[in-house]
Amino acid sequence: MPSALMREPDHPAPGAQALAHAFSLARGALHEVYAGTEADSPSLSALAMMLGEASTGTDGRVQAGQQATLWVRHEALGREVGEPHPAGLAELGFDPARLLLLRARDAPSALQAGLEGARCAALAAVIIELRGEAKAYDLTASRRLALAARASGVPVFMVRAAAAPMPSAAETRWLARAAPSRALAAKAPGHPAFHLVLLRARNGQDGLQHHLEWNRDAQRLESRLPGHGETAPAHQPGGEPAAPLSRAVVAIPVHRPGPARHEPPPHRRAG
Amino acid sequence: MNRPRTGGPDDRPFVLVEQDRGALRIAALDPAAARGGLRAGMALAEARALWPDIETAQAEPEADAALMRHLAELCDLFTPLVALHARDGLILDVTGCAHLFGGEREMVWRVRRRLGMLGLASCAAISATPQAAWALARDRRNIIVAAGDEEQAARTLPLTALEQDATTTLALGRAGFRTLGDLADRPSGMLTARFGAGLADALRRILGQEDIRITPLRPAPEVMAEKHFAAPLGLLESLLTVLERLAQDIMAALERRGAGGRAFEVSVFRSDGAVRRITIETAQGLREAAGLMRLVRLKLEALSDPLDPGFGFDAVRLVVIRSEPMAERQAALDGNTEGQTQAGDVASLVDRLSARFGRESVQRFVMRDTHDPVRAGGSVPFLSSKTVALSAPREPDKPEPGQPPARPLTLFEPPQWIEALAEVPDGPPLRFRWRRVLHEVARAEGPERIAPEWWRCGNAAPATRDYYRIENAHGHRFWVFREGLYEDSLARPRWFLHGLFA
């Protein structure tokens, strides 16, 4: 894995830098989050919202927490995985009043609505949740979204559970799933935890793996080890066993330096 | 006021019959039948005895009512205040409208010609009060009563014009009254004492001594602009050009009032009598003609059956249904309207999405102050103005720091039945089967006991629920509940999956 995360864990500072960089979820770009099964759908929606939150306010111009997020959702998902519940959103630390929900009849109208949102610079993020395989989401559609996102500076998250990744113009593509949480006292389920594999990134850093936990109070995703004492599930969508990551709890700061795609990736000069 | 009549196909008397008190009776009849001595309400057998060769058809009250509603839409062309009256009448409040059509006489002619084009015979009268006009038209008089002459015109009307029940009319006839003039000459106290206040009121209204306004089918618009074309307009594009000019007119009117429109309606009148209406709602006050036109175009594109010019459009009208006060916005010297642009952009995005995908598709979340998870939150159309009326909307509670989410991200309504096996009778499930997949529970927390709001559910209150947050071996988190208290239910308890956590 060509990641700085694999450096010795006693260097937390470069580790933090590297993690933040690995998560170069630039604003003004299209990001895809895939999952193997529909059961991971709620986790994916939440993850997209968390990533949107983490990518807000990078330029320091607008304060996170003020802007609305457009959530475009395929109507049929309501039957498959349930309707969004505002109390649950609030429990995750998102203000339901800041969410704009669009129930799309089919994939083409979902993409059209998402595109309309991606052009609106006043949004914090656009989340498009399609259902299953969608023919309408092809190279052209993804290119349109990516261009609109670049022009307006709004991050667009394409969320697709139970769909096979397709070639697209996305900046990053992640394979995500819910991960066993760190149990609280008396074996109670803990904070939402996720396992992410970077399938593809424009800057070539693929294969990265992350175990992340959502810290609601700090509004950030934190890296952590897989739940102690819990064995990772046998069938891994990523295909490889979860590698132990940095031991230090590293946070992705909400306010980070500008989008990484504008600057060359940091590298060490020899001599 | 118009009275549609069904014209017979030939000279044979033609009647419409309906089933009434076990017999077929005449519901309506044509002039030939009326000349032959038939009348409405007569049994068909009796009528056939008089005229064996009369032609009959079944009366269709629903179809008649639909036709009347359609005619009311059509008459909307002449005044925005149109009401239906009785089974076959239309009342138009033409106050201040007649001059637009070249005077009252010209206007009546145009209304009747319009109906004539649809093959309907009509009678029309204009008077100071709707009741007087109605009574005169009902009596088949096509007259225009000048102001002050109402009593004179109405004096000769028969007693039936009062539209009282049969016994009252009969009693008045037996008392020797023949016309309204006879009644008007008597002191009204006497009539009230014998027949009740209803009769005296009806009389006063017909005589023009008391005026109650009609209740129009559609509320009177706040601002309205319309354009009638000399010849039918065949191109949609030219229609939009005209509409744009109207939009500029009403926006100017809104500006003078210091208001912005929240709901607009475009009515398009086609020359064959079809009326199409397009409603546009906005998330915040709108006062730009260009913005409105953009929404109109989006809406037209999204129509499932496109606006078909057919033989051309006769007229187009643009109406502001709802408006709200709107503060003037002063642009800063550099042309920036600080801060407001952000919210403004989202609002116009909502407008565009609502116009394109329908009002119901664009939603926002609302929360209510209740412990019932189903009622605690939901989503409503973004543009619905009813949210204020929702019981006690509230700010979401700040979740307890350091605790995982207590409520799921998605909720199933109704909850989904699962097959669950619990280790101890009142404990969390050990494993459960949902949608044919077996889940082994790795972690669980609970129960959280949630009782239904008994004051909302009549006699059969649903059982109390014990909720558990559980997580399976793969890290999927569920919100399940056992129905009913364990000690109450002797049978096997039923388990349900109510939501999914992130």
Side-chain angles (χ1 to χ4, degrees), chain B residues 187-495:
Chain B
S188 68
M190 211 174 76
L191 290 173
T192 311
R194 171 66 181 83
F195 297 104
L199 179 73
D201 284 347
L203 185 61
R204 268 205 312 283
R205 284 167 196 164
I206 292 180
L207 296 177
Q209 292 161 354
E210 181 187 272
D211 190 8
I212 53 162
R213 311 311 303 179
I214 58 169
T215 310
L217 285 180
R218 309 160 61 75
E222 299 198 8
V223 184
M224 178 174 124
E226 64 181 15
K227 178 84 185 154
H228 294 250
F229 308 128
L233 204 62
L235 281 176
L236 193 59
E237 218 28 62
S238 2
L239 183 81
L240 288 174
T241 316
V242 176
L243 199 57
E244 184 151 15
R245 213 170 311 144
L246 295 181
Q248 283 159 3
D249 288 352
I250 65 163
M251 292 310 177
L254 282 176
E255 196 164 353
R256 279 195 297 279
R257 295 174 171 213
R262 287 291 305 273
F264 300 87
E265 188 186 64
V266 179
S267 310
V268 182
F269 299 87
R270 228 164 62 173
S271 54
D272 60 355
V275 183
R276 281 294 289 271
R277 297 185 198 277
I278 299 161
T279 311
I280 291 151
E281 283 180 275
T282 61
Q284 62 173 17
L286 180 68
R287 209 194 271 167
E288 285 117 18
L292 180 62
M293 288 312 292
R294 204 162 45 236
L295 295 177
V296 169
R297 278 172 203 273
L298 274 173
K299 195 93 181 183
L300 286 179
E301 276 168 29
L303 281 182
S304 50
D305 48 338
L307 200 59
D308 176 21
F311 295 107
F313 301 113
D314 257 2
V316 59
R317 170 186 298 165
L318 183 58
V319 161
V320 180
I321 301 173
R322 200 168 72 242
S323 69
E324 64 178 17
M326 193 167 131
E328 300 291 338
R329 262 188 243 158
Q330 170 81 53
L333 284 179
D334 57 356
N336 255 334
T337 43
E338 293 284 319
Q340 285 174 325
T341 39
Q342 291 284 323
D345 281 359
V346 174
S348 66
L349 174 72
V350 169
D351 296 347
R352 286 199 299 278
L353 293 175
S354 299
R356 174 72 186 77
F357 300 102
R359 185 178 180 277
E360 303 298 314
S361 302
V362 189
Q363 303 191 315
R364 62 180 160 162
F365 293 106
V366 287
M367 296 182 78
R368 298 179 198 90
D369 194 7
T370 165
H371 65 269
D372 183 351
V374 177
R375 285 190 63 251
S379 51
V380 296
F382 198 94
L383 295 178
S384 87
S385 47
K386 278 189 216 143
T387 42
V388 194
L390 280 177
S391 64
R394 59 147 195 182
E395 293 292 305
D397 287 339
K398 265 271 177 259
E400 207 172 318
Q403 291 300 312
R407 289 286 177 269
L409 182 62
T410 63
L411 211 61
F412 288 105
E413 194 52 46
Q416 306 223 329
W417 180 75
I418 53 173
E419 210 178 322
L421 180 74
E423 198 172 7
V424 283
D426 52 354
L430 200 59
R431 64 180 64 91
F432 67 96
R433 192 185 292 276
W434 175 49
R435 288 181 181 163
R436 296 200 293 276
V437 178
L438 190 67
H439 297 269
E440 293 284 342
V441 175
R443 283 162 288 279
E445 187 189 53
E448 180 188 356
R449 184 159 291 179
I450 300 181
E453 296 178 304
W454 54 264
W455 57 94
R456 288 192 180 275
C457 26
N459 289 331
T464 299
R465 297 166 171 185
D466 276 351
Y467 279 89
Y468 293 89
R469 291 195 308 119
I470 57 177
E471 181 175 312
N472 70 5
H474 298 294
H476 298 137
R477 288 163 280 271
F478 306 89
W479 206 38
V480 300
F481 68 86
R482 188 186 54 233
E483 195 182 53
L485 301 178
Y486 185 77
E487 51 269 28
D488 291 354
S489 60
L490 296 170
R492 260 178 86 182
R494 295 205 302 162
W495 287 84

